[in-house]
Amino acid sequence: MTQLNSRQREAVHYISGPLLVLAGAGSGKTSVITRKIAYLIDKCDINARHIAAVTFTNKASREMRERVSSLLAGESSRGLTVSTFHNLGLNIIRREYKALGFKPGFSIFDAQDAQSLIKELLIQGDSLNTDQVDLIQQSISKFKNDLITPKQALELAGSPSEMTIARIYQNYNQSLRAYNAVDFDDLILIPVLLFQQQEEVLHKWQNRIRYLLVDEYQDTNSSQYELVKQLVGLRGALTVVGDDDQSIYAWRGARPENLSQLADDYPGLKVVKLEQNYRSTARILRSANTLIANNPHAFNKQLWSELGDGEEIRIICTQNEDAEAERVVTEIIDHQLKQRTQYSDYAILYRGNHQARLLELKLQQHQIPYHINGGISFFSRNEVKDIMAYLRLLVNSDDDNAFLRIINVPRRKIGPSTLQTLGSYATERDISLYNAVAELGIEHLLPGAGLEKLRKFVSWLDRQRQQCESKNPISIIREMIEEIQYQGWLHQNSSSPVVAERRMENVLYLISALQTSLEQDDESSDIKDAISKLMLRDLLERQEEEDQSNSVQLLTLHAAKGLEYPYVFIVGMEEELLPHRSSIEEGNIEEERRLAYVGITRAKKQLVLMLASKRKQFGEIITTDPSRFLEELPPDDVQWEGRGEASEALNQQKGKETIAGLKNLFD
């Protein structure tokens, strides 16, 4: 506790009622959460199994668990729940599947599975307009996040298109039930509805979770807020940590107003503000404070620092986007030469991914190593999705999407007409494709060779399932992958042997992750549960390879949240880029301002804001306007360059510094 400041200690020690910790950027909120968990266990005699801490990413929950374990002696943290919201929801559904009417081993549909199902429903409904799949999927997700059931959606529909979406939502949910499956949003919605309908189940979980802590509370949506309220109940044993100024996910349902809603739902709510920033210089924080003060606030706060004023914030105007990218790269080269820094000390932030293309070209031209954060998800790779489909079918034979993905991977010479006939028969009988293969009725519709291949596959997978239940499941799964000669399949379908080997390494990593999940499960060693957890990671976790190389970091402002760098460049500080055009049209400037605030507060030592006077858009060169956010920064803390001001003295000073840097390098 001696490492905490007075406000942080106050937040840790307060357990008399619900608490909101308003934690500004860089104010040490993770230390508060982890030390509070340790305090509850060590000093308040609350057993770890009755404490749950919830956050939004697997990485954050892992780090939180590790830090708590390092603060406590022995096995005192055993049984502690530290998870994402969706992992918590999955755990509730797994334990209450009978009350919910599910069969064991239910599947979790990812976004692609959901899209396939929606497209299938559109085709079955004789709709040729399958271009609307994304819109319908987003609408269904919003319904679920807002706790709107299909019946309510039908009642609320005010136009033919809304009625169509509501009907598809109804059919979509019915299909999920038929497949013994849930989608990502169901992992929160289903527990909330269960608790609303079955009070005894709610009381059981309230007794199990006697103290709840929630991180990044400003990112919760309506269903997550309701789940928290249900679990906390009248006990009020709750600590939430958040910052309304860093709420930048409204596009996926986050409601920053959930922070102010707490005061209404918990009249005795205590608020502790963490305003001391341990990351950035005073100039950077003054700029951030001045900018965000233009947004309305339920709770006001002022970040401050003991790190000194630091350097002025530079705003650099360039002629066009090519000059902007070139200037960023030359600034990094010049600064790195003078200061003898690492390339990994620099980050370039932007509003949209398309802005990275030109930056990549310039960095390559100057032979500067770089890394783009937020690459392809590990679980989105084809080889991983193939093996995941095998695992999904092992635990849930009703999973038609998994069946169709792997029936010819590797090739089994089962033709599309055979699968179409099987699908029609299964639909008519209202059973899964897998179960349809075994029925006598299908024999009258399918030729002998095609049916024989299908039954051979089903019989083989049945044996694998039985062996997984009676023997070491991991070794059976490894043998299964060898038996189908999947590695040979990869070599046949990869551009080179090196690529095939790399893809096979991903498969082996997946099996290793499954084994780890099986070994770390304190409460169950069941392979079905381990696969279910892996299926959830399939949805939640992007590939989290920490890039330890000496590279300049390129990332969007959204992806930068939670990160920090000594030297930060934000490019595209123009109207219609930041703030984005769609946000201007929708009147949602406040979230764009929060996004700029997040970008500014990533910088520890130096911040450079870049803009271009002209930019190519849809094949035309347009004249741009500087972002309104630039005019909202404190004039005394910024230095403009490139607006025609006299800068000969500045250029001479830079030249001397560069020569001095070269001398130091040779010395």
Side-chain angles (χ1 to χ4, degrees):
M1 292 298 172
T2 56
Q3 298 176 11
L4 304 180
N5 64 39
S6 59
R7 292 277 184 87
Q8 292 172 325
R9 283 196 296 274
E10 182 183 8
V12 168
H13 291 149
Y14 185 79
I15 59 168
S16 301
L19 170 69
L20 165 61
V21 181
L22 201 66
S27 62
K29 68 179 178 64
T30 305
S31 294
V32 169
I33 297 174
T34 53
R35 281 173 168 77
K36 182 149 195 173
I37 295 170
Y39 179 75
L40 291 168
I41 296 170
D42 199 36
K43 303 297 183 185
C44 302
D45 295 325
I46 301 178
N47 195 294
R49 70 175 181 273
H50 293 310
I51 299 173
V54 186
T55 187
F56 280 85
T57 67
N58 286 319
K59 182 179 178 183
S61 62
R62 276 200 306 271
E63 290 176 353
M64 198 179 293
R65 178 183 287 277
E66 289 167 3
R67 290 175 69 167
V68 171
S69 297
S70 69
L71 292 169
L72 293 166
E75 297 289 314
S76 53
S77 65
R78 185 176 179 81
L80 172 69
T81 297
V82 182
S83 73
T84 62
F85 266 103
H86 293 90
N87 259 315
L88 178 62
L90 173 64
N91 196 30
I92 293 169
I93 297 172
R94 278 173 54 197
R95 294 181 180 283
E96 307 297 342
Y97 73 90
K98 289 182 180 177
L100 290 163
F102 286 105
K103 291 178 283 186
F106 59 87
S107 296
I108 306 172
F109 270 37
D110 66 9
Q112 290 183 357
D113 294 331
Q115 283 189 344
S116 298
L117 176 55
I118 292 168
K119 187 177 288 187
E120 182 184 329
L121 291 171
L122 285 170
I123 293 169
Q124 287 177 2
D126 296 324
S127 172
L128 300 177
N129 188 9
T130 55
D131 295 337
Q132 297 296 307
V133 169
D134 286 343
L135 172 64
I136 294 168
Q137 187 177 23
Q138 290 166 13
S139 298
I140 291 174
S141 179
K142 189 174 188 309
F143 281 142
K144 293 190 175 188
N145 287 336
D146 290 341
L147 302 173
I148 296 172
T149 64
K151 182 181 177 182
Q152 292 169 327
L154 286 165
E155 293 170 353
L156 292 168
S159 67
S161 62
E162 289 177 358
M163 182 62 73
T164 300
I165 291 173
R167 287 200 184 103
I168 293 171
Y169 177 27
Q170 186 176 49
N171 294 335
Y172 171 82
N173 260 19
Q174 289 171 351
S175 298
L176 284 178
R177 279 287 175 166
Y179 294 150
N180 192 38
V182 298
D183 67 15
F184 190 66
D185 299 307
D186 282 332
L187 295 175
I188 308 297
L189 175 65
I190 288 175
V192 168
L193 295 179
L194 173 67
F195 291 158
Q196 286 177 353
Q197 296 159 8
Q198 300 191 35
E199 198 171 334
E200 69 281 2
V201 178
L202 172 59
H203 288 160
K204 181 173 78 174
W205 281 90
Q206 286 176 338
N207 190 51
R208 180 181 179 130
I209 299 176
R210 299 178 189 175
Y211 203 100
L212 182 64
L213 304 97
V214 185
D215 190 18
E216 303 288 6
Y217 202 72
Q218 75 280 349
D219 293 337
T220 54
N221 58 34
S222 297
S223 58
Q224 290 161 342
Y225 184 88
E226 185 62 27
L227 182 61
V228 169
K229 275 180 64 179
Q230 289 174 327
L231 290 171
V232 172
L234 298 175
R235 186 184 288 126
L238 171 70
T239 291
V240 305
V241 181
D243 181 4
D244 52 350
D245 291 333
Q246 295 189 74
S247 181
I248 56 174
Y249 298 116
W251 50 275
R252 66 184 190 196
R255 299 176 73 252
E257 57 266 35
N258 283 350
L259 282 171
S260 53
Q261 183 67 34
L262 280 168
D264 296 330
D265 291 333
Y266 301 99
L269 180 74
K270 181 178 177 65
V271 179
V272 174
K273 299 179 184 179
L274 303 184
E275 297 172 297
Q276 182 175 359
N277 175 286
Y278 294 93
R279 174 191 298 160
S280 307
T281 64
R283 282 189 196 275
I284 291 170
L285 296 181
R286 277 200 299 271
S287 296
N289 288 334
T290 307
L291 174 72
I292 206 64
N294 291 282
N295 275 4
H297 287 83
F299 307 98
N300 291 313
K301 66 179 184 306
Q302 285 284 315
L303 295 180
W304 59 276
S305 170
E306 293 181 339
L307 299 177
D309 258 10
E311 297 184 37
E312 286 182 317
I313 292 166
R314 296 169 64 205
I315 303 174
I316 302 177
C317 306
T318 59
Q319 289 185 341
N320 52 44
E321 69 262 44
D322 187 87
E324 177 191 52
E326 180 72 25
R327 181 64 182 270
V328 170
V329 174
T330 55
E331 285 282 334
I332 290 173
I333 293 171
D334 187 53
H335 190 272
Q336 196 259 352
L337 185 64
K338 293 173 186 172
Q339 303 297 327
R340 310 284 288 272
T341 52
Q342 298 290 307
Y343 282 125
S344 54
D345 291 336
Y346 302 88
I348 308 173
L349 312 183
Y350 35 82
R351 179 64 176 84
N353 280 307
H354 67 280
Q355 294 171 262
R357 299 169 194 157
L358 193 53
L359 290 164
E360 283 191 77
L361 288 173
K362 296 295 183 183
L363 288 163
Q364 288 168 359
Q365 287 173 9
H366 289 277
Q367 297 184 331
I368 295 178
Y370 66 91
H371 172 73
I372 297 183
N373 282 326
I376 299 173
S377 165
F378 175 75
F379 287 96
S380 294
R381 299 176 186 276
N382 278 329
E383 62 274 15
V384 175
K385 290 185 76 69
D386 288 343
I387 302 306
M388 282 298 299
Y390 273 97
L391 298 178
R392 284 163 53 186
L393 209 54
L394 272 179
V395 300
N396 179 13
S397 61
D398 292 335
D399 194 332
D400 284 354
N401 282 336
F403 181 94
L404 290 171
R405 182 177 184 92
I406 62 172
I407 191 63
N408 275 314
V409 177
R411 184 88 174 127
R412 295 185 177 89
K413 297 183 179 178
I414 298 172
S417 59
T418 298
L419 293 174
Q420 188 174 358
T421 303
L422 178 67
S424 299
Y425 177 82
T427 301
E428 185 180 328
R429 295 276 294 126
D430 198 22
I431 57 176
S432 68
L433 297 171
Y434 194 96
N435 292 333
V437 172
E439 292 211 342
L440 293 174
I442 194 68
E443 295 177 3
H444 302 294
L445 302 173
L446 279 178
L451 183 58
E452 183 181 348
K453 289 170 186 172
L454 284 169
R455 285 182 169 170
K456 183 178 179 182
F457 170 73
V458 167
S459 175
W460 171 78
L461 202 61
D462 282 339
R463 288 197 304 274
Q464 307 305 316
R465 187 180 296 110
Q466 291 165 6
Q467 289 181 313
C468 279
E469 292 172 357
S470 60
K471 298 180 181 178
N472 180 346
I474 298 299
S475 63
I476 297 301
I477 290 167
R478 290 185 190 276
E479 290 171 12
M480 181 179 78
I481 294 169
E482 289 180 14
E483 199 170 329
I484 63 174
Q485 298 181 335
Y486 189 75
Q487 188 165 8
W489 164 263
L490 288 178
H491 277 276
Q492 291 171 16
N493 292 276
S494 298
S495 58
S496 71
V498 173
V499 172
E501 291 301 325
R502 192 179 301 134
R503 295 178 68 188
M504 192 62 199
E505 286 175 9
N506 289 333
V507 171
L508 296 176
Y509 178 84
L510 177 71
I511 304 307
S512 175
L514 180 62
Q515 183 171 5
T516 301
S517 176
L518 199 61
E519 292 169 351
Q520 289 182 345
D521 195 327
D522 294 331
E523 301 173 12
S524 170
S525 58
D526 184 76
I527 187 65
K528 290 182 178 179
D529 288 343
I531 291 173
S532 290
K533 284 186 175 181
L534 208 57
M535 286 160 63
L536 180 60
R537 283 182 63 188
D538 183 344
L539 303 180
L540 282 176
E541 192 175 51
R542 291 192 173 274
Q543 190 176 13
E544 292 179 334
E545 297 175 343
E546 291 295 329
D547 187 72
Q548 299 296 336
S549 60
N550 184 21
S551 305
V552 174
Q553 302 297 300
L554 274 65
L555 63 167
T556 65
L557 287 160
H558 282 100
K561 187 169 177 290
L563 303 176
E564 59 183 45
Y565 303 94
Y567 310 103
V568 169
F569 294 80
I570 304 179
V571 298
M573 291 295 298
E574 302 145 29
E575 290 290 299
E576 300 195 356
L577 261 182
L578 186 65
H580 195 271
R581 182 196 305 165
S582 60
S583 296
I584 296 172
E585 292 171 352
E586 295 165 6
N588 191 18
I589 298 299
E590 291 171 12
E591 175 137 342
E592 293 291 304
R593 189 175 282 111
R594 291 194 291 267
L595 198 54
Y597 173 86
V598 166
I600 289 171
T601 53
R602 299 312 94 196
K604 298 168 72 174
K605 296 181 179 179
Q606 191 177 76
L607 175 67
V608 180
L609 307 176
M610 307 287 301
L611 65 153
S613 299
K614 296 183 184 296
R615 193 174 290 273
K616 185 178 288 186
Q617 194 175 84
F618 306 117
E620 295 183 10
I621 304 296
I622 63 165
T623 300
T624 67
D625 293 318
S627 169
R628 69 191 71 186
F629 302 147
L630 295 176
E631 296 300 328
E632 294 176 358
L633 300 177
D636 292 342
D637 288 319
V638 301
Q639 176 192 91
W640 286 79
E641 298 177 32
R643 293 199 302 181
E645 65 279 340
S647 56
E648 185 61 34
L650 184 63
N651 289 337
Q652 288 181 2
Q653 180 187 343
K654 283 188 174 182
K656 290 177 181 178
E657 289 174 352
T658 301
I659 293 171
L662 282 168
K663 288 180 178 178
N664 288 336
L665 185 63
F666 288 118
D667 289 343

